Amino acid sequence: MSSQGRLALPWALALLLALGLLGLEARAHRAPDPDFREDYFEQFLDHFNFERFGNKTFRQRFLVSDKFWKRSEGPLFFYTGNEGDVWSFANNSGFILELAAQQAALVVFAEHRYYGKSLPFGEQSTGRGHTELLTVEQALADFARLIGALRRDLGAQDSPVIAFGGSYGGMLSAYMRMKYPYLVAGALAASAPVVSVAGVGDPHQFFRAVSVDFEDQSPKCAQAVRDAFRQIKDLFLQGAYKVVSQELGTCQPLTGQKDLAQLFGFARNAFTVLAMMDYPYPTDFMGKLPANPVQVGCARLLSESQRIQGLRALAGLVYNSSGTEPCYDIYRLYQACADPTGCGLGPDAKAWDYQACTEISLTFSSNNVTDIFPDLPFTEVLRQQYCLDTWGVWPRRDWLQTSFGGPDLRAASNIIFSNGDLDPWAGGGIQSNLSASVLAITIHGGAHHLDLRASHPLDPTSVREARELEASIICEWVAAARREQRLQRTWHRD
């Protein structure tokens, strides 16, 4: 990427010093306690059809904090919840709270329908026949109605709204600005893969990026990964299933190609998690992980004389962080789905699987040529068959491009797309400036939406600078929205 195509952070630092914003990172080594209040909003089941569900509602959960808010001055910071329990995102997005304390903002974290406790049909929500209302568009309409109600009920009609989100939530924050610009003054979309999920791009990009993380850490480690997978494949060809099971420590005996594909997916997923969560300090966002987990994983792998046993040790960082699992139940710990980067487990995983079978396109494959992993294709044809068998639906590969533009966002405004160069999702996002106000920030040494996390003494300089720049831009968006409000009042009086 050319230096002209992204925001160069150092030029902004003098401006930030003048604005007095450089104290934010220095002051906060942990996010301030927001004293969140958990509440529920009666949300329409279906925003776009007046017949089947009429005006029936469900309870949408949200968290709200007015601890930092100054009514006459502060904006409303709104986190567009993604594929999980809202508390998980609130507890891992400390930058929003730090910024709220600085800019006197009201803070809201909204839970996405069909996730956490925001279940339109209770425990049956992710069963076949009950998922039809799980769409990006329905979720955005939920957020729009919730924002309107909160502004009215909390006396925040004049508070400019800034949307925040990470990963899928980052996509939603950008889409909120695009779809509801009269409600949302700007959006910070961290690690938002708006290009790849729209069915655009290289299907081998993701696992190539994961591989690069391990190759850059240690070429010897990357070669050891290749060797381990090749040895497993060779042993399977020889019918030595028991040897593989013993060396890798699987709970069940392995017997054929179905087990081999599951085993490869299980192992590959461990590398995906380590690459995404390659933070410079310990975290518990996607399981309990040590600092620099890619480095630790490589050290574990190379510490074993046998490569398959080394693979077992590396996988233990993800699947046995407690050290209490006597063996790996590869079908329980990893469930193959329409997202080859991993859906997770439980009801939230089922909801995400459905989304990956409808609007969210995630046809990533590994090929053992451009990456270090086994040849595990996931083509659009395979996706279609899986989704038809599992959910009875046919994916619409290009729908998000039709609905929101995919990579062509030149008509949008006031969106920051931030990506860390360690994050395998970065290649599926916006990595260069698209206009004067649709901006890209690259965080060198940053993993998955590192900039949304709370400040930490071990943060790289790049993320400190990125947060400061984001803070200054958001401050200007809020000021511009306030100026627009004053102009409108003047016009109305005249």
Side-chain angles (χ1 to χ4, degrees), residues 293-362:
V294 169
Q295 181 182 46
V296 174
C298 281
R300 280 192 170 202
L301 191 155
L302 295 173
S303 69
E304 299 287 345
S305 59
Q306 301 297 318
R307 289 296 179 241
I308 298 178
Q309 293 178 5
L311 184 61
R312 174 183 182 175
L314 180 146
L317 280 175
V318 174
Y319 297 115
N320 191 20
S321 60
S322 66
T324 60
E325 294 280 351
C327 56
Y328 294 138
D329 185 335
I330 61 173
Y331 286 93
R332 178 179 62 84
L333 294 171
Y334 173 75
Q335 295 176 3
C337 66
D339 178 359
T341 74
C343 284
L345 303 171
D348 288 344
K350 292 185 67 178
W352 183 244
D353 187 35
Y354 178 81
Q355 289 197 263
C357 271
T358 50
E359 298 178 300
I360 309 290
S361 182
L362 296 165

Side-chain angles (χ1 to χ4, degrees), residues 71 170-171 200 283 307 311 351 400 414:
R71 289 177 183 268
M171 292 165 47
V200 182
T283 60
R307 289 296 179 241
L311 184 61
L400 288 184
N414 289 11

Side-chain angles (χ1 to χ4, degrees), residues 114-115 126 128 130-135 338 343 348-360 383 386-387 390-393:
Y114 282 86
Y115 294 98
T126 52
R128 281 187 65 162
H130 293 90
T131 51
E132 64 183 282
L133 300 177
L134 176 51
T135 68
C343 284
D348 288 344
K350 292 185 67 178
W352 183 244
D353 187 35
Y354 178 81
Q355 289 197 263
C357 271
T358 50
E359 298 178 300
I360 309 290
R383 178 194 184 203
Y386 169 86
C387 295
T390 305
W391 295 103
V393 298

Side-chain angles (χ1 to χ4, degrees), residues 14-171:
L15 170 63
L16 299 176
L17 282 167
L19 292 173
L21 294 170
L22 278 174
L24 183 144
E25 289 282 347
R27 289 193 302 271
H29 286 165
R30 66 173 60 184
D33 183 1
D35 293 333
F36 277 125
R37 183 179 79 253
E38 182 178 292
D39 209 339
Y40 288 84
F41 177 68
E42 288 296 325
Q43 190 64 262
F44 285 138
L45 281 172
D46 188 349
H47 297 282
F48 307 111
N49 190 311
F50 292 86
E51 295 184 18
R52 177 170 162 81
F53 296 102
N55 286 341
K56 291 181 180 178
T57 63
F58 74 99
R59 283 159 53 84
Q60 181 184 14
R61 183 166 60 160
F62 66 94
L63 312 178
V64 61
S65 169
D66 59 3
K67 182 175 181 178
F68 316 111
W69 187 34
K70 292 183 180 179
R71 289 177 183 268
S72 60
E73 301 175 21
L76 193 166
F77 289 171
F78 189 93
Y79 186 94
T80 52
N82 31 325
E83 71 278 27
D85 188 295
V86 69
W87 279 106
S88 177
F89 305 115
N91 290 333
N92 286 276
S93 304
F95 169 62
I96 298 172
L97 304 179
E98 295 170 4
L99 193 58
Q102 181 196 33
Q103 297 192 11
L106 178 67
V107 180
V108 176
F109 277 74
E111 191 163 70
H112 193 298
R113 59 168 55 204
Y114 282 86
Y115 294 98
K117 293 184 178 180
S118 299
L119 304 177
F121 303 103
E123 293 182 358
Q124 296 180 322
S125 294
T126 52
R128 281 187 65 162
H130 293 90
T131 51
E132 64 183 282
L133 300 177
L134 176 51
T135 68
V136 169
E137 291 78 10
Q138 296 279 8
L140 295 178
D142 288 343
F143 297 150
R145 285 197 71 240
L146 179 59
I147 288 171
L150 289 174
R151 293 177 86 182
R152 180 190 67 239
D153 295 344
L154 298 177
Q157 292 94 334
D158 294 333
S159 294
V161 178
I162 305 297
F164 294 80
S167 198
Y168 172 49
M171 292 165 47

Side-chain angles (χ1 to χ4, degrees), residues 15 22 45 47 110 155 160 164 176 181 190 221 275 285 288 349 362 388 404 407 425 446 486:
L15 170 63
L22 278 174
L45 281 172
H47 297 282
F164 294 80
M176 281 297 293
C221 174
F285 181 38
K288 189 175 182 180
L362 296 165
L388 194 61
F404 297 104
W425 289 103
R486 288 194 292 270

Side-chain angles (χ1 to χ4, degrees), residues 409-433:
L409 304 180
R410 291 170 295 175
S413 64
N414 289 11
I415 304 173
I416 300 169
F417 289 100
S418 62
N419 286 284
D421 62 2
L422 298 182
D423 184 10
W425 289 103
I430 301 297
Q431 296 185 284
S432 59
N433 298 342

